Amino acid sequence: MASTKTEESKEGIKVVKEEVENQKEAIAEAARLHGIDEEQIILFRQFTEASPEWHHKISKTILRKVDFHLLPMLILMYMLNFLDRNNLSQARLGTLEEDLNMTGTDFNLATSILFVGYILMQLPSNLLLTRVRPSIYLGVAMTIWGTISAAQAATRTFTSMVVCRFFLGFAEAPFFPGAILLMSSWYTRSELALRIAWFYCGHSFANAFGGLLGAGVLAGLSGTHGISGWRWLFIIEGSLTVFSAICAAFILPNYPATTKWLTPEERAYAQWRLVKDAGEADEANASSLKEGLSLAFRDPRLYLFTLLQHASLLSQTFQYFFPSILQTLGYGNIETLLLTAPVWAATFCASLVVTYTSGHYGDRSIHIICLILISVVGNIIVVSTLNTGVRFFGLFLLPMGALLSYQIILAWIANSFPRPLVKRSVVISFANMVGNSANIYGTYMYPAVDAPRYLAGGSATAGVGLLIVLLVIIARLVLQRQNKKLAIREAFEAEGRATEPGDRDESAPVGFRYML
């Protein structure tokens, strides 16, 4: 009996050793195929053999460094990005419309025109990002949009405001998809959702801080030196953006292989983590632009996820009118801006919880469905009653559902197209480009004449929420089917049998599975 147990134990050790050897060779081969030099491949083999304790220690060290250098700057940049984009809604509560002789749907046009410029620059910008240092590229883009944002204070006519807004969108286009791309080049799939949540904190901070700043500027600086309060708002926020852009160019890291504040071993390990997680490290020149475009547009999942992102962004258009909707509760301009702060603070706290659970349990679809249904309920409440307390509760649910589900959708898209870098760049920028077209027509869903219920906009947004649920279910089924194909492929290859050409996903290494 003891002899049998000893033989079983030896056999088990043998199997484990064989699995380690296979994994070691698979990772080394994936690295070799994508331009990683032999010296690093030797390190990759050593990493594969290292103890779990060593992996835990070095991963913790690298993540601490990356989080410190990358996330605070990206959060600040996103906060200022959204402040400069959305400050028109706060300026509206001042004398903006009166000073520029805006009537009817002029405000809607000034809001939507930004996304025309934003969409036009989206795809070429992200392709260029794979060939230029992200720190310099994003820093320069931020300087330009901050300058344009401040220049809005000098507009004297509605036409000049529309022109400024168009070019503001054009200059802002590189940032959001570029930031998502940069984060997905540092973090594994299980780490990305929580980091996107922290990044998206900039959005919640912008809405909360923007309301407080807007209230302070409109109340305290209106008429100072003969300048209207809304003009001061543009000047202050634009100046903050330009100053932060200069800092970003020196603080933001680039890609793992070229970052100087990591040791050579840490740089190699940062790449090894990505190879182990998705089969390829992020090498900017591993694939040509033409190849990246071809890989992306031949993948049918691109169009499904693009439609999902489009619907998700359409469900969020209420935020560009949030102060106006909140004002229907009967409060004054300053009180209304102050009341926006707790809504966005609560959204921020909730985002940390749901994105942690999404990453911890490796789930995307169930989280998105539950969250978007919260937004649907919020919309129904807001359009169905004029009771102040109940409507205010409904307004809490709107961003808590729509924005948090969008955070997880962003992580899901990046996770579903892991490598190569150029393909992921095309996917993220194309989905963001088409997705943001929702803001061109979605901004007309809340015309001022529909106050106080905004019945048409709220009902349509609730309907879009249900469409998102349907799209998420379809996406889950598609990825489930893909995972089954990957399992069958691996079983066939383990037995030495060839698979059907159509069943092979060349971008997926052995052991890879799509997150559901």
Side-chain angles (χ1 to χ4, degrees):
M1 177 71 79
S3 176
T4 304
K5 287 184 177 179
T6 301
E7 288 176 4
E8 288 178 354
S9 176
K10 287 180 178 179
E11 185 64 28
I13 292 170
K14 181 180 178 183
V15 169
V16 170
K17 284 183 175 178
E18 287 178 354
E19 287 178 354
V20 169
E21 286 299 317
N22 290 337
Q23 185 185 48
K24 185 165 62 177
E25 291 306 316
I27 291 175
E29 182 61 25
R32 189 178 291 108
L33 286 172
H34 294 284
I36 295 176
D37 61 45
E38 286 297 326
E39 185 178 343
Q40 284 192 314
I41 290 173
I42 292 171
L43 285 173
F44 281 14
R45 288 197 176 99
Q46 294 173 359
F47 296 154
T48 307
E49 295 173 337
S51 67
E53 292 78 14
W54 183 86
H55 281 291
H56 176 74
K57 182 179 178 181
I58 192 170
S59 289
K60 188 175 180 181
T61 299
I62 290 174
L63 282 176
R64 186 173 63 247
K65 287 185 177 182
V66 175
D67 288 344
F68 177 77
H69 284 87
L70 182 62
L71 288 180
M73 196 69 239
L74 285 183
I75 292 169
L76 176 63
M77 292 174 78
Y78 191 33
M79 183 183 82
L80 294 170
N81 177 270
F82 199 80
L83 270 179
D84 291 330
R85 182 189 311 180
N86 201 40
N87 50 18
L88 200 67
S89 65
Q90 291 142 15
R92 188 186 194 186
L93 297 183
T95 59
L96 170 76
E97 290 179 302
E98 179 185 342
D99 292 350
L100 300 185
N101 298 315
M102 295 167 64
T103 58
T105 58
D106 285 351
F107 179 81
N108 304 74
L109 175 59
T111 302
S112 65
I113 195 65
L114 179 144
F115 295 98
V116 176
Y118 189 86
I119 288 167
L120 291 174
M121 189 57 181
Q122 199 77 175
L123 185 57
S125 168
N126 243 34
L127 289 175
L128 186 58
L129 182 62
T130 65
R131 297 296 186 266
V132 181
R133 288 169 56 190
S135 57
I136 299 299
Y137 189 58
L138 296 180
V140 170
M142 190 179 187
T143 302
I144 295 171
W145 96 58
T147 303
I148 296 172
S149 179
Q152 291 176 106
T155 56
R156 299 295 171 184
T157 64
F158 170 63
T159 302
S160 58
M161 175 60 76
V162 168
V163 171
C164 275
R165 298 290 294 177
F166 172 83
F167 285 106
L168 179 62
F170 201 80
E172 282 195 353
F175 175 69
F176 187 81
I180 298 296
L181 178 68
L182 186 58
M183 283 191 290
S184 65
S185 298
W186 280 98
Y187 297 112
T188 63
R189 293 177 300 150
S190 62
E191 298 161 353
L192 188 60
L194 184 60
R195 269 65 185 192
I196 286 180
W198 279 103
F199 167 66
Y200 219 75
C201 291
H203 182 283
S204 299
F205 288 157
N207 280 298
F209 176 68
L212 296 174
L213 180 62
V217 171
L218 293 181
L221 288 179
S222 187
T224 302
H225 300 296
I227 300 174
S228 302
W230 65 269
R231 296 186 191 277
W232 277 116
L233 190 63
F234 287 133
I235 292 169
I236 292 170
E237 292 181 357
S239 301
L240 285 172
T241 299
V242 173
F243 174 76
S244 300
I246 297 169
C247 299
F250 294 97
I251 295 173
L252 274 183
N254 295 303
Y255 297 114
T258 59
T259 298
K260 294 181 180 178
W261 40 259
L262 293 177
T263 67
E265 183 184 47
E266 288 170 344
R267 285 198 293 270
Y269 189 82
Q271 294 177 83
W272 178 85
R273 287 170 8 101
L274 300 178
V275 173
K276 187 175 184 296
D277 182 59
E280 182 183 344
D282 273 335
E283 290 288 332
N285 298 312
S287 301
S288 67
L289 295 179
K290 182 179 179 181
E291 184 182 358
L293 286 164
S294 176
L295 286 170
F297 289 115
R298 284 192 287 109
D299 192 332
R301 292 172 301 141
L302 167 65
Y303 306 101
L304 174 60
F305 279 104
T306 297
L307 181 58
L308 175 59
Q309 185 165 345
H310 181 92
S312 180
L313 283 164
L314 184 59
S315 73
Q316 299 174 51
T317 50
F318 66 84
Q319 62 188 312
Y320 299 107
F321 303 90
F322 200 76
S324 299
I325 298 172
L326 191 57
Q327 195 173 34
T328 62
L329 299 180
Y331 298 103
N333 291 347
I334 305 304
E335 292 83 355
T336 295
L337 289 172
L338 292 173
L339 283 173
T340 61
V343 176
W344 297 106
T347 300
F348 161 65
C349 294
S351 72
L352 299 182
V353 175
V354 298
T355 49
Y356 171 78
T357 57
S358 173
H360 182 73
Y361 294 106
D363 172 77
R364 299 290 185 259
S365 56
I366 303 302
H367 277 72
I368 295 168
I369 290 171
C370 293
L371 287 167
I372 201 62
L373 288 176
I374 291 174
S375 181
V376 170
V377 171
N379 277 287
I380 293 172
I381 291 174
V382 170
V383 301
S384 60
T385 180
L386 292 178
N387 180 278
T388 299
V390 176
R391 291 195 89 205
F392 193 43
F393 172 72
L395 288 171
F396 267 86
L397 299 183
L398 291 183
M400 204 170 288
L403 271 70
L404 302 196
S405 62
Y406 182 61
Q407 293 177 23
I408 299 175
I409 287 171
L410 291 174
W412 204 15
I413 293 172
N415 293 159
S416 300
F417 302 88
R419 307 292 185 272
L421 174 65
V422 177
K423 177 185 177 181
R424 191 169 77 255
S425 173
V426 173
V427 167
I428 291 173
S429 57
F430 180 80
N432 202 51
M433 176 180 70
V434 177
N436 273 283
S437 66
N439 290 305
I440 295 176
Y441 65 90
T443 52
Y444 289 89
M445 291 167 60
Y446 292 89
V449 293
D450 283 356
R453 287 185 185 271
Y454 293 100
L455 182 60
S459 302
T461 304
V464 170
L466 298 177
L467 172 63
I468 292 170
V469 172
L470 176 62
L471 291 172
V472 169
I473 292 171
I474 294 171
R476 181 183 175 92
L477 293 174
V478 167
L479 295 181
Q480 273 184 333
R481 184 168 177 268
Q482 199 68 29
N483 282 343
K484 287 180 182 177
K485 284 186 176 183
L486 291 171
I488 293 170
R489 183 197 83 181
E490 290 171 14
F492 270 70
E493 291 180 348
E495 296 172 5
R497 291 188 286 168
T499 56
E500 293 293 326
D503 290 339
R504 186 175 181 86
D505 184 350
E506 298 293 346
S507 67
V510 174
F512 175 87
R513 294 294 183 271
Y514 293 101
M515 283 191 170
L516 304 177

